[in-house]
Amino acid sequence: MVTMGQCYYNETIGFFYNNSGKELSSHWRPKDLVVVALGLTVSVLVLLTNLLVIAAIASNRRFHQPIYYLLGNLAAADLFAGVAYLFLMFHTGPRTARLSLRGWFVRQGLLDTSLTASMATLLAIAVERHCSVMAVQLQSRLPPGRVITLIVVVWVAALGLGLLPAHFWHCLCALDRCSRMAPLLSRSYLTVWALSSLLVFLLMVVVYTRIFFYVRRRVQRMAEHVSCYPRYRETTLNLVKTVVIILGAFVVCWTPGQVVLLLDGLGCKSCNVLAVEKYFLLLAEANSLVNAVVYSCRDAEMRRTFRRLLCCWCLRPSTHESVRYTTATHTGTSTRIMLPENGHSLMDSTL
């Protein structure tokens, strides 16, 4: 019998799953095997891809700039997300029932912390690009110390959201507030997490929209003085494509999970969130792979560094010394755009 106001710290995982109506299987079902197979594949790809990004940034001195500190932090957060999801895959299905309450909170906390850090870093990159583009600078306008402070703030916020459920934001003492997707967490936590993700997306839309219209105005003004309409058109299309890729990747990977979290957090009884939760979480985890492609692999200099790292076993030392760096046509997260004014080229601005 459940008593209001009583705390259930000594109960099993099965007790809370039964309370929330979430099935806790005692054997491996076909859908469990499918989720684990897909999850392990995505996790390994996330780990390998983001390790390569981190190695590229560390080994190439051209990347020792504030914007690449943020890209490196994004790769580190996504690498952490890959480890967290890998841990989940080894502690899911029938193995969930064998977890202690502390083990369950560790499993959930790893996911919440890593995904929050990844999402917050995406917003930090957008803000940094906004500052640099508005100042018409290739180099980040933010000093390295401020960028490092921004990275610290990102991780403090991520750790806060990851640790709060285990200490305060759980439902061990209020079973009527337990969510269905995460039976030990309060529904209010899921609501706040979903709304925070939505806020991050809206802020990214505002920032990248401002960047788009700013660059478009400058290039259009340039086209009025120079006969370069085809180049203006190409630049505008590239800019549109970049903004669509950045925001589109976020929407595709995050929106489904945010919607089901919000529905569960708001206590929608008729919504069958449990039928899709595992697949939407997998989609959110896949964003850690997509980030490496959108924010790093589209950089021409980064791709050259990848090739050198992957083929270093067959390169001679003289080959490394003979490499001459040329101005890349793509950098950071998108197209590098020349913004001439009064017949003189200004510094490149990147998205």
Side-chain angles (χ1 to χ4, degrees):
M1 180 177 179
V2 176
T3 305
M4 297 300 294
Q6 180 181 351
C7 294
Y8 298 89
Y9 296 112
N10 297 321
E11 294 293 345
T12 64
I13 293 295
F15 173 82
F16 293 97
Y17 274 63
N18 290 334
N19 173 70
S20 295
K22 185 174 184 179
E23 184 181 1
L24 192 60
S25 62
S26 58
H27 60 279
W28 288 101
R29 298 167 297 182
K31 68 175 183 179
D32 294 328
L33 296 174
V34 170
V35 170
V36 169
L38 291 174
L40 290 175
T41 302
V42 171
S43 296
V44 171
L45 290 175
V46 167
L47 292 175
L48 294 177
T49 304
N50 286 285
L51 278 174
L52 185 60
V53 172
I54 293 173
I57 293 174
S59 64
N60 191 333
R61 289 190 176 184
R62 285 176 63 95
F63 298 149
H64 296 178
Q65 302 170 16
I67 178 58
Y68 288 102
Y69 297 164
L70 289 174
L71 291 178
N73 187 65
L74 178 63
D78 289 334
L79 182 68
F80 184 21
V83 172
Y85 200 76
L86 196 63
F87 182 83
L88 173 64
M89 291 298 98
F90 284 109
H91 296 84
T92 191
R95 295 172 182 168
T96 301
R98 297 198 291 268
L99 290 173
S100 64
L101 297 188
R102 178 175 296 181
W104 190 95
F105 278 119
V106 168
R107 188 185 75 171
Q108 188 66 35
L110 288 173
L111 281 173
D112 293 345
T113 301
S114 59
L115 294 178
T116 301
S118 178
M119 190 183 307
T121 304
L122 293 177
L123 179 59
I125 290 172
V127 171
E128 191 281 336
R129 288 294 79 193
H130 180 271
C131 293
S132 298
V133 169
M134 292 303 173
V136 199
Q137 294 181 5
L138 172 60
Q139 305 292 339
S140 174
R141 191 183 181 189
L142 297 176
R146 190 167 298 178
V147 171
I148 293 174
T149 301
L150 188 59
I151 291 173
V152 171
V153 170
V154 165
W155 282 102
V156 168
L159 286 171
L161 277 176
L163 294 175
L164 275 176
H167 296 87
F168 307 104
W169 222 335
H170 52 69
C171 64
L172 303 187
C173 300
L175 296 183
D176 58 315
R177 299 178 185 174
C178 291
S179 66
R180 285 189 291 165
M181 292 174 58
L184 275 68
L185 300 186
S186 172
R187 289 196 305 272
S188 61
Y189 175 77
L190 269 63
T191 302
V192 169
W193 208 96
L195 291 177
S196 299
S197 303
L198 178 62
L199 178 61
V200 168
F201 172 70
L202 293 177
L203 290 174
M204 288 175 62
V205 169
V206 171
V207 169
Y208 282 116
T209 299
R210 280 179 55 84
I211 291 175
F212 170 75
F213 283 111
Y214 174 80
V215 174
R216 185 187 178 194
R217 283 196 304 270
R218 292 191 66 87
V219 177
Q220 191 172 18
R221 196 158 53 238
M222 171 198 72
E224 293 174 354
H225 297 89
V226 185
S227 299
C228 58
Y229 176 77
R231 181 172 296 180
Y232 158 70
R233 178 180 174 83
E234 180 184 357
T235 299
T236 304
L237 290 175
N238 285 338
L239 189 55
V240 171
K241 181 170 66 174
T242 295
V243 173
V244 168
I245 289 174
I246 291 173
L247 299 180
F250 192 96
V251 168
V252 170
C253 293
W254 282 105
T255 302
Q258 291 170 2
V259 169
V260 295
L261 280 177
L262 190 57
L263 290 174
D264 192 18
L266 295 177
C268 179
K269 300 297 184 182
S270 60
C271 305
N272 191 14
V273 295
L274 297 179
V276 294
E277 55 147 348
K278 294 183 183 295
Y279 302 102
F280 287 172
L281 176 59
L282 179 62
L283 190 59
E285 175 62 26
N287 185 246
S288 296
L289 178 61
V290 174
N291 285 340
V293 177
V294 173
Y295 288 86
S296 296
C297 295
R298 297 183 70 240
D299 185 328
E301 180 62 30
M302 185 74 77
R303 291 197 300 271
R304 284 195 290 271
T305 306
F306 288 162
R307 285 194 291 270
R308 285 198 298 274
L309 289 173
L310 294 174
C311 302
C312 63
W313 62 272
C314 62
L315 294 177
R316 298 177 180 177
S318 59
T319 305
H320 288 283
E321 297 172 0
S322 65
V323 173
R324 293 293 181 265
Y325 293 107
T326 58
T327 302
T329 57
H330 294 77
T331 187
T333 60
S334 177
T335 307
R336 181 178 291 178
I337 303 168
M338 298 298 294
L339 299 175
E341 192 172 71
N342 300 326
H344 300 284
S345 295
L346 299 176
M347 191 68 76
D348 300 26
S349 292
T350 66
L351 296 187

